[in-house]
Amino acid sequence: MNISVIGMGYVGCANALLLAQHNKVSIIDIDERKVKDFNSGILPIQDSMATKYLDEKELNVIATSSIIKGTKDADFIILALPTDFNESNNLYDTDVIESVINEIIILNNTATIIIKSTINIGFTRYVREKFNYKKIIFSPEFLREGHALEDNLNPSRIIVGDQSVEARSFSALLAQGADKQDIDILLTTPESAECI
């Protein structure tokens, strides 16, 4: 599979490295320095296992700052973007995610978009309706900062907020990359996943 990951934080890097064991992965970030460093073997996060993995494993991953180049052939596009919490309205700021979804649909209208950012309850249904694009799925993360790859390799569970063929395929890709065997996989509704 061709997979794009947008965002080079803990979630983005951990997912890119996990999935690059068995798939072709592009990791995308607007920060040219992060892109250059990643392609030179330097991660923009502090995660000793991830650094060792990038250094020692045979991974099919490349970083780019071009969303066009990074997403044009993707089957799955993972959004690992910041959503700062706004204390005045008690909601996460999802403007960046909405902007990127709009751009992706213009560039690649066949890919399944996987949101791995923290979002508000009801957001998946909202963006599906707003963009008239049903292949948007939420999959929550359970990662510790500094141990993100370790947590992805040994997940307590995999949750995907959809029951489609694409959701099953994506959850299988996550399980394939993990070291842990017999992982509990829960395919649920978007709202149920968003509440976890």
Side-chain angles (χ1 to χ4, degrees), residues 11 13 27-28 30 32 35 46 99 105 108 117 125 185:
V11 172
C13 286
I27 186 165
I28 304 160
I30 58 173
E32 293 279 359
V35 169
Q46 298 296 315
S99 176
I105 293 169
N108 180 344
S117 301
R125 189 174 306 279
I185 296 175

Side-chain angles (χ1 to χ4, degrees), residues 41-147:
I42 302 166
L43 288 176
I45 59 171
Q46 298 296 315
D47 186 320
S48 58
M49 180 178 272
T51 299
K52 186 175 180 182
Y53 224 71
L54 183 60
D55 193 38
E56 296 178 1
K57 281 276 197 179
E58 258 189 63
L59 302 172
N60 190 356
V61 61
I62 189 160
T64 181
S65 60
S66 169
I67 194 167
I68 297 169
K69 181 179 172 185
T71 62
K72 66 178 179 163
D73 297 321
D75 301 297
F76 291 98
I77 301 172
I78 298 170
L79 305 185
L81 298 164
T83 52
D84 296 329
F85 186 71
N86 184 334
E87 291 186 14
S88 65
N89 64 9
N90 291 324
L91 295 172
Y92 291 96
D93 182 351
T94 56
D95 289 348
V96 171
I97 293 177
E98 290 183 54
S99 176
V100 171
I101 288 173
N102 184 58
E103 194 169 356
I104 289 168
I105 293 169
I106 293 167
L107 297 171
N108 180 344
N109 65 1
T110 61
T112 300
I113 299 168
I114 307 290
I115 301 171
K116 283 201 164 279
S117 301
T118 304
I119 56 173
N120 305 304
I121 296 171
F123 181 75
T124 305
R125 189 174 306 279
Y126 163 74
V127 288
R128 284 177 176 180
E129 291 171 1
K130 177 178 179 177
F131 297 106
N132 192 27
Y133 196 77
K134 301 302 175 205
K135 294 198 307 182
I136 302 173
I137 298 171
F138 176 65
S139 178
E141 282 295 338
F142 308 99
L143 304 178
R144 296 169 294 157
E145 195 171 294
H147 300 277

Side-chain angles (χ1 to χ4, degrees), residues 139-165:
S139 178
E141 282 295 338
F142 308 99
L143 304 178
R144 296 169 294 157
E145 195 171 294
H147 300 277
L149 181 60
E150 177 186 350
D151 292 342
N152 257 1
L153 290 169
N154 301 284
S156 59
R157 62 213 180 276
I158 293 171
I159 299 173
V160 180
D162 199 65
Q163 298 175 353
S164 62
V165 170

